[in-house]
Amino acid sequence: MNSQGHNEQRVVWTVVATDIGPLLLAATRDGLVNVVFHATDPVRDKALDRLGSRLGGEPVEAPDSPLLAEAIRQLRAYFAGERQDFELALDWSLISGFNRQVLRELASGVPFGTVVGYGDLAGRVGQPGGAQAVGVAMGSNPLPVVVPCHRVVERDGGIGGFGGGLETKRKLLALEGVLPEPLF
């Protein structure tokens, strides 16, 4: 335990370049714990401060860490169009309750190249009428791309919101063949 009484968890991190911009990847011994969009220096620093306070200890930059190697490899393959499914150990410690339940259902039940409505996803976890709560769960997803919140859309065909920005959501959906590639 650290001096604040928290169990300290060693967190390693790196930033990788992708087709949707730099992603911060962070992992613990239990698995990938966080993916952060648009990981410019200020975004990265804020995310690392948050991780340190939530998990205890100072996150350590370790681009060659074995804890990150497979996540980096699979993300590169995904963006190259060579991988559709992620097979990674995930550390779910940053999320709990209903949000964790929804994200686990999303990860296991909405495959590459498909989308699901917010309300439909709510129904799958036994909360019909919980579309707004599903939206909150998507917004709190600590593992975007790997846990594919970009695949959740509005019932009327709109693409809905997205923590990484709508342009990023469109690019991910185009990569998966759900939307046409943007013209510009």
Side-chain angles (χ1 to χ4, degrees), residues 15 69 73 99 142 173:
V15 174
R73 190 186 72 70
N99 291 355
L173 291 172

Side-chain angles (χ1 to χ4, degrees), residues 58-137:
E58 179 90 14
V60 176
E61 184 174 15
D64 296 325
S65 170
L67 297 173
L68 293 166
E70 188 60 18
I72 293 167
R73 190 186 72 70
Q74 288 189 30
L75 278 162
R76 286 187 175 142
Y78 171 80
F79 284 109
E82 300 164 356
R83 172 174 279 282
Q84 295 183 352
D85 301 309
F86 292 99
E87 297 170 9
L88 295 169
L90 301 177
D91 178 339
W92 294 92
S93 63
L94 293 177
I95 196 151
S96 62
F98 176 77
N99 291 355
R100 183 187 290 190
Q101 181 185 6
V102 169
L103 291 171
R104 283 183 178 265
E105 172 60 29
L106 174 64
S108 65
V110 183
F112 181 95
T114 65
V115 294
V116 65
Y118 292 92
D120 293 334
L121 190 52
R124 288 186 187 190
V125 295
Q127 298 293 323
Q132 286 183 322
V134 166
V136 171

Side-chain angles (χ1 to χ4, degrees), residues 122-172:
R124 288 186 187 190
V125 295
Q127 298 293 323
Q132 286 183 322
V134 166
V136 171
M138 296 304 102
S140 65
N141 181 3
L143 296 161
V145 182
V146 175
V147 177
C149 52
H150 59 277
R151 296 180 189 153
V152 183
V153 297
E154 295 174 346
R155 177 181 43 181
D156 66 2
I159 71 166
F162 194 61
L166 293 181
E167 180 182 340
T168 299
K169 186 171 187 173
R170 283 187 191 99
K171 285 180 179 179
L172 290 167

